[in-house]
Amino acid sequence: EAAGSAAGSGLTKMEMAAAGLKISPGTYLRTYISACGGDPALVRGWRRQTDDSTRATPLSRITWISPSGQPHQGRSAVARALGLTPLTATQVQRLRYPVPRRQSAPPLAPPPPQAAPPP
């Protein structure tokens, strides 16, 4: 199953956030490009730049810079630059991202409180 498909393994962006997991910029873009039907290797050398004026908000403006230095506003612009059709908003919501190797999902429920030792 291709990375980023709705039926693939992994977690949606909302599930990742709820679990306290972060998606690396590279994984974020590779998953999107793969879901658009492109080879994830197409984005080697691309980098992300965030608008500092909106960094504090969840809707910060992200610019992807191509290896040749050309800026592209958002993942859909990257997809178009690579000759791919961008995803719809519904398709983006269904994207599943791989769980980062260095992070494990936290337990579903916190452990029970420990009893205080006798005085």
Side-chain angles (χ1 to χ4, degrees):
E1 188 99 41
S5 71
S9 64
L11 302 172
T12 65
K13 189 174 178 184
M14 288 182 66
E15 291 167 337
M16 294 281 272
L21 301 172
K22 296 192 186 290
I23 305 167
S24 74
T27 298
Y28 188 71
L29 186 58
R30 281 190 304 275
T31 300
Y32 183 87
I33 294 303
S34 178
C36 291
D39 183 344
L42 290 171
V43 296
R44 280 194 190 119
W46 286 71
R47 60 188 171 84
R48 183 179 80 157
Q49 182 177 325
T50 308
D51 180 355
D52 287 338
S53 67
T54 59
R55 183 167 281 164
T57 68
L59 299 175
S60 62
R61 173 176 261 176
I62 296 174
T63 301
W64 294 93
I65 310 296
S66 72
S68 65
Q70 290 189 314
H72 300 275
Q73 296 295 319
R75 296 180 296 179
S76 59
V78 173
R80 283 190 290 276
L82 296 173
L84 303 169
T85 302
L87 301 178
T88 65
T90 301
Q91 290 170 318
V92 169
Q93 288 177 341
R94 292 182 180 157
L95 277 179
R96 300 188 81 73
Y97 298 90
V99 175
R101 286 185 209 131
R102 293 187 190 119
Q103 301 178 34
S104 60
L108 295 177
Q114 299 267 338

